[in-house]
Amino acid sequence: MADYENRPPPEGINVSPTHPLKDFALLVGGISALVVVAVFALSLLAGQLARHIPFAHERALAGHLGRWLPAEPVSAVERQRRQYLQALAERLAQGMEMPPEMTLTVHYSAQPTINALATLGGHIVVFQGLVDTLPSENALAMVLAHEIAHVRHRHPVVAMGRGFAVLLAVASLSGVGDGSLQQWLGGIGMLPVLSFSRAQEEEADAAALQAVLRTYGHVGDAAAFFEHVARAPLAREPLAIFSSHPGHAERIARIRDFAARHSQVDTPPVALPAFMKGD
């Protein structure tokens, strides 16, 4: 007759060697990492697809940006400043291989903001605060050509595509209703998402230098704006626009290197017209 024995189970057989909360945290962390990677990949794909949107359609999308763009100039001097900026932009664009359908509209703002920006549909905004920091037309041309290069390379619509993809993914994951998407598409949040990557900024810098060189025969004063920003106290530096930009010292060094290699003629910069000076 067989002899059976009921042995007690070993101690801790049903106890995990790690704390269950740690396992849960690792699981959540892994899933979150996968979601972030997936959203990032989706945003890159959306950006590349957006690049192929016809410029005419981009102009139509830009119709929602009215509240973000400066109002039409009222005074005669402001109208004169806008006309000058528009003419300078068109002059620079002639040497930047702009497609025939790609038009530029330069807006002038009397605000003291030290900034210029390019957004959808070829709209470019130049603030008086920026102009007041510049020593010459050449320095202004470098900044303006930089913004034109963003338009030329479709950077605003690429940024819009990426922003929309991220917002759509977040809305899908969080269960946010269509209201947020409608607000974004209505122009409430379109302008703030149009921030450019470091690579896009470097591409715009390179194109701007070539445009300034073709227009003036040299790139004197091309680094003036970046030198001004580099000298400015932290409280006055426009950190938001430069958050994804290359460092000031890096940009200045690249411009000086370009000048040493391409513009040997010692030609004085062109003075800004008197009417461009702030009141």
Side-chain angles (χ1 to χ4, degrees), residues 198 205 223 225-231 237 242 245-257:
R198 188 181 184 89
D205 279 351
F225 174 60
F226 305 115
E227 290 169 344
H228 168 81
V229 173
R231 291 191 302 267
E237 186 171 343
F242 288 110
H245 290 37
H248 308 317
E250 179 185 346
R251 299 179 95 159
I252 293 168
R254 272 206 309 268
I255 292 171
R256 289 176 177 172
D257 177 68

Side-chain angles (χ1 to χ4, degrees), residues 9 48 69 88 135 163 168 181 183 198-199 204 239:
Q48 291 306 311
L69 297 174
L88 180 58
L168 185 62
L181 293 175
Q183 272 195 340
R198 188 181 184 89
L239 296 177

Side-chain angles (χ1 to χ4, degrees), residues 40-52:
F40 179 71
L42 179 63
S43 71
L44 292 180
L45 176 61
Q48 291 306 311
L49 291 175
R51 190 186 296 274
H52 299 288

Side-chain angles (χ1 to χ4, degrees), residues 162-187:
R162 290 176 179 174
F164 178 71
V166 171
L167 183 62
L168 185 62
V170 171
S172 300
L173 292 171
S174 62
V176 176
D178 293 338
S180 296
L181 293 175
Q182 290 173 355
Q183 272 195 340
W184 192 86
L185 289 172

Side-chain angles (χ1 to χ4, degrees), residues 26-42 173:
L26 290 173
L27 177 62
V28 172
I31 294 174
S32 299
L34 288 175
V35 170
V36 169
V37 171
V39 171
F40 179 71
L42 179 63
L173 292 171

